[in-house]
Amino acid sequence: MLLLGHTGITYAVVRTAEKLISHSGRKISGLIDYRLVFIGAILPDILDKPLGHIFLKDTLGNGRIFAHTLLFSLLLFLIGLFYWVKAKRPGILVLAIGSFLHLVFDSMWALPKTLFWPAYGWSFPQMKSDDYLWQVLLRLVTDPYSYVPELIGGFFLLTLLRELSHKKQLKQFLKTGKLLFNNDTLS
């Protein structure tokens, strides 16, 4: 999954969870900074792709390393939980949720040596990354497992953008990351 898939589908999952929790009687609307949802959704790639494909290209050539581990998401979650309990600041917790969903959408269970690092040893699988970008682009136009999530994520992002524009809240959203819609449709 790439940028649109990760960000759009993560947004839809978090927004749906927010609405379900709100409907159960707990007031959480307005607590989530969706800018952090978007960053969390791609945080493992932001950290691992440059590290694995540029800096460690000769030794690893793998863009799924440290931040694609359950340990990374768990540490981020525990730090976020600490800040939530101590200061009622959910920001890092939101990043952790986005980061964890990234692992789910990347099907990291298929790479247990990475997902459960360091349980299977301290090294990560090595991959050939000479033509990494070309392989990604080729899959994006030929493989439904690549382009379908991008189309779905793009749809959710366009729906959000349309809703923000229609309600004249785009500027406010960019400033605060908050969604302050009064209706219950998936926005």
Short mmCIF file of all heavy atoms in Angstrom, two decimals, residues 153-179:
data_model
loop_
_atom_site.label_atom_id
_atom_site.label_comp_id
_atom_site.label_asym_id
_atom_site.label_seq_id
_atom_site.Cartn_x
_atom_site.Cartn_y
_atom_site.Cartn_z
N GLY A 153 -8.42 4.51 -0.87
CA GLY A 153 -7.90 5.58 -0.01
C GLY A 153 -8.10 6.95 -0.63
O GLY A 153 -8.48 7.91 0.06
N GLY A 154 -7.87 7.06 -1.93
CA GLY A 154 -8.09 8.32 -2.63
C GLY A 154 -9.54 8.76 -2.55
O GLY A 154 -9.84 9.94 -2.37
N PHE A 155 -10.45 7.80 -2.67
CA PHE A 155 -11.88 8.10 -2.55
C PHE A 155 -12.20 8.70 -1.17
O PHE A 155 -12.90 9.71 -1.06
CB PHE A 155 -12.73 6.85 -2.78
CG PHE A 155 -14.17 7.02 -2.43
CD1 PHE A 155 -15.03 7.70 -3.28
CD2 PHE A 155 -14.67 6.54 -1.22
CE1 PHE A 155 -16.37 7.88 -2.94
CE2 PHE A 155 -15.99 6.71 -0.87
CZ PHE A 155 -16.85 7.39 -1.73
N PHE A 156 -11.69 8.06 -0.10
CA PHE A 156 -11.94 8.59 1.25
C PHE A 156 -11.35 9.98 1.43
O PHE A 156 -11.97 10.85 2.04
CB PHE A 156 -11.39 7.64 2.32
CG PHE A 156 -12.21 6.39 2.49
CD1 PHE A 156 -11.59 5.15 2.47
CD2 PHE A 156 -13.57 6.43 2.70
CE1 PHE A 156 -12.33 3.99 2.63
CE2 PHE A 156 -14.32 5.29 2.87
CZ PHE A 156 -13.69 4.05 2.83
N LEU A 157 -10.16 10.20 0.90
CA LEU A 157 -9.53 11.52 1.02
C LEU A 157 -10.29 12.57 0.23
O LEU A 157 -10.47 13.71 0.70
CB LEU A 157 -8.07 11.45 0.58
CG LEU A 157 -7.15 10.63 1.48
CD1 LEU A 157 -5.77 10.50 0.86
CD2 LEU A 157 -7.06 11.22 2.88
N LEU A 158 -10.75 12.23 -0.98
CA LEU A 158 -11.55 13.18 -1.77
C LEU A 158 -12.88 13.48 -1.09
O LEU A 158 -13.35 14.62 -1.10
CB LEU A 158 -11.79 12.63 -3.17
CG LEU A 158 -10.60 12.72 -4.12
CD1 LEU A 158 -10.92 12.02 -5.45
CD2 LEU A 158 -10.21 14.16 -4.37
N THR A 159 -13.47 12.46 -0.45
CA THR A 159 -14.72 12.66 0.29
C THR A 159 -14.49 13.63 1.45
O THR A 159 -15.30 14.54 1.68
CB THR A 159 -15.27 11.32 0.81
OG1 THR A 159 -15.47 10.46 -0.31
CG2 THR A 159 -16.57 11.50 1.56
N LEU A 160 -13.40 13.45 2.16
CA LEU A 160 -13.06 14.36 3.26
C LEU A 160 -12.84 15.78 2.73
O LEU A 160 -13.38 16.75 3.29
CB LEU A 160 -11.81 13.88 3.99
CG LEU A 160 -11.20 14.85 5.02
CD1 LEU A 160 -12.19 15.12 6.14
CD2 LEU A 160 -9.88 14.32 5.55
N LEU A 161 -12.07 15.90 1.68
CA LEU A 161 -11.78 17.21 1.10
C LEU A 161 -13.07 17.90 0.63
O LEU A 161 -13.27 19.10 0.86
CB LEU A 161 -10.80 17.07 -0.06
CG LEU A 161 -10.27 18.35 -0.68
CD1 LEU A 161 -9.54 19.19 0.35
CD2 LEU A 161 -9.34 18.02 -1.84
N ARG A 162 -13.96 17.14 0.00
CA ARG A 162 -15.24 17.70 -0.44
C ARG A 162 -16.06 18.19 0.74
O ARG A 162 -16.62 19.28 0.72
CB ARG A 162 -16.02 16.65 -1.23
CG ARG A 162 -17.36 17.17 -1.78
CD ARG A 162 -18.21 16.07 -2.38
NE ARG A 162 -18.51 14.98 -1.48
CZ ARG A 162 -19.46 15.01 -0.52
NH1 ARG A 162 -20.19 16.08 -0.34
NH2 ARG A 162 -19.67 13.96 0.24
N GLU A 163 -16.11 17.39 1.79
CA GLU A 163 -16.88 17.76 2.99
C GLU A 163 -16.29 19.01 3.65
O GLU A 163 -17.02 19.91 4.04
CB GLU A 163 -16.89 16.58 3.97
CG GLU A 163 -17.80 16.77 5.15
CD GLU A 163 -19.26 16.49 4.84
OE1 GLU A 163 -19.56 15.94 3.77
OE2 GLU A 163 -20.09 16.83 5.69
N LEU A 164 -14.98 19.04 3.77
CA LEU A 164 -14.33 20.22 4.37
C LEU A 164 -14.57 21.47 3.53
O LEU A 164 -14.84 22.54 4.08
CB LEU A 164 -12.83 19.97 4.53
CG LEU A 164 -12.42 18.99 5.62
CD1 LEU A 164 -10.94 18.62 5.47
CD2 LEU A 164 -12.70 19.55 6.99
N SER A 165 -14.49 21.33 2.23
CA SER A 165 -14.72 22.48 1.34
C SER A 165 -16.17 22.92 1.39
O SER A 165 -16.46 24.12 1.49
CB SER A 165 -14.35 22.13 -0.10
OG SER A 165 -12.98 21.84 -0.19
N HIS A 166 -17.08 21.96 1.34
CA HIS A 166 -18.51 22.25 1.35
C HIS A 166 -18.91 23.00 2.63
O HIS A 166 -19.73 23.91 2.60
CB HIS A 166 -19.31 20.95 1.20
CG HIS A 166 -20.79 21.14 1.26
ND1 HIS A 166 -21.50 21.72 0.24
CD2 HIS A 166 -21.69 20.83 2.23
CE1 HIS A 166 -22.78 21.77 0.57
NE2 HIS A 166 -22.92 21.23 1.78
N LYS A 167 -18.34 22.59 3.74
CA LYS A 167 -18.69 23.21 5.04
C LYS A 167 -17.76 24.37 5.38
O LYS A 167 -17.79 24.88 6.50
CB LYS A 167 -18.66 22.16 6.14
CG LYS A 167 -19.64 21.04 5.85
CD LYS A 167 -20.09 20.36 7.08
CE LYS A 167 -20.96 19.22 6.68
NZ LYS A 167 -22.27 19.21 7.15
N LYS A 168 -16.90 24.72 4.43
CA LYS A 168 -15.96 25.84 4.60
C LYS A 168 -15.10 25.67 5.85
O LYS A 168 -14.91 26.61 6.62
CB LYS A 168 -16.71 27.17 4.62
CG LYS A 168 -17.42 27.47 3.31
CD LYS A 168 -18.11 28.78 3.34
CE LYS A 168 -18.84 29.17 2.09
NZ LYS A 168 -19.16 28.29 1.10
N GLN A 169 -14.59 24.45 6.04
CA GLN A 169 -13.78 24.14 7.22
C GLN A 169 -12.35 23.72 6.86
O GLN A 169 -11.61 23.29 7.73
CB GLN A 169 -14.44 23.05 8.05
CG GLN A 169 -15.74 23.46 8.69
CD GLN A 169 -16.33 22.36 9.55
OE1 GLN A 169 -15.74 21.32 9.76
NE2 GLN A 169 -17.53 22.61 10.05
N LEU A 170 -11.99 23.82 5.59
CA LEU A 170 -10.67 23.36 5.16
C LEU A 170 -9.55 24.12 5.87
O LEU A 170 -8.61 23.52 6.39
CB LEU A 170 -10.52 23.48 3.64
CG LEU A 170 -9.21 22.97 3.06
CD1 LEU A 170 -8.99 21.50 3.41
CD2 LEU A 170 -9.19 23.17 1.55
N LYS A 171 -9.66 25.43 5.91
CA LYS A 171 -8.62 26.25 6.56
C LYS A 171 -8.51 25.91 8.05
O LYS A 171 -7.41 25.74 8.57
CB LYS A 171 -8.96 27.73 6.38
CG LYS A 171 -7.86 28.67 6.74
CD LYS A 171 -8.27 30.09 6.39
CE LYS A 171 -7.16 31.06 6.63
NZ LYS A 171 -7.56 32.44 6.30
N GLN A 172 -9.65 25.76 8.70
CA GLN A 172 -9.67 25.40 10.13
C GLN A 172 -9.05 24.02 10.34
O GLN A 172 -8.32 23.79 11.29
CB GLN A 172 -11.10 25.46 10.67
CG GLN A 172 -11.22 25.20 12.15
CD GLN A 172 -10.54 26.29 12.98
OE1 GLN A 172 -10.37 27.42 12.56
NE2 GLN A 172 -10.16 25.93 14.19
N PHE A 173 -9.38 23.08 9.44
CA PHE A 173 -8.83 21.73 9.55
C PHE A 173 -7.30 21.75 9.41
O PHE A 173 -6.60 21.09 10.17
CB PHE A 173 -9.44 20.82 8.49
CG PHE A 173 -8.82 19.45 8.46
CD1 PHE A 173 -9.14 18.51 9.43
CD2 PHE A 173 -7.88 19.10 7.51
CE1 PHE A 173 -8.56 17.25 9.43
CE2 PHE A 173 -7.29 17.85 7.50
CZ PHE A 173 -7.63 16.93 8.46
N LEU A 174 -6.81 22.50 8.45
CA LEU A 174 -5.36 22.57 8.25
C LEU A 174 -4.66 23.18 9.47
O LEU A 174 -3.54 22.81 9.79
CB LEU A 174 -5.03 23.37 6.99
CG LEU A 174 -5.45 22.71 5.68
CD1 LEU A 174 -5.23 23.66 4.50
CD2 LEU A 174 -4.74 21.39 5.46
N LYS A 175 -5.34 24.09 10.16
CA LYS A 175 -4.78 24.72 11.37
C LYS A 175 -4.81 23.80 12.58
O LYS A 175 -3.86 23.74 13.35
CB LYS A 175 -5.59 25.96 11.71
CG LYS A 175 -4.99 27.25 11.34
CD LYS A 175 -5.99 28.28 11.76
CE LYS A 175 -5.49 29.60 12.04
NZ LYS A 175 -6.53 30.59 12.27
N THR A 176 -5.93 23.08 12.77
CA THR A 176 -6.14 22.34 14.01
C THR A 176 -6.15 20.83 13.84
O THR A 176 -5.94 20.11 14.81
CB THR A 176 -7.49 22.73 14.65
OG1 THR A 176 -8.55 22.28 13.80
CG2 THR A 176 -7.59 24.23 14.89
N GLY A 177 -6.45 20.35 12.65
CA GLY A 177 -6.57 18.91 12.43
C GLY A 177 -7.88 18.33 12.93
O GLY A 177 -8.10 17.12 12.87
N LYS A 178 -8.77 19.18 13.41
CA LYS A 178 -10.04 18.71 14.00
C LYS A 178 -11.13 18.66 12.94
O LYS A 178 -11.21 19.51 12.07
CB LYS A 178 -10.49 19.64 15.12
CG LYS A 178 -9.46 19.91 16.19
CD LYS A 178 -9.13 18.68 16.97
CE LYS A 178 -8.14 19.03 18.09
NZ LYS A 178 -7.37 17.96 18.56
N LEU A 179 -11.99 17.65 13.07
CA LEU A 179 -13.19 17.53 12.23
C LEU A 179 -14.38 17.89 13.10
O LEU A 179 -14.64 17.22 14.09
CB LEU A 179 -13.32 16.11 11.69
CG LEU A 179 -12.23 15.66 10.75
CD1 LEU A 179 -12.45 14.21 10.33
CD2 LEU A 179 -12.16 16.56 9.52
#
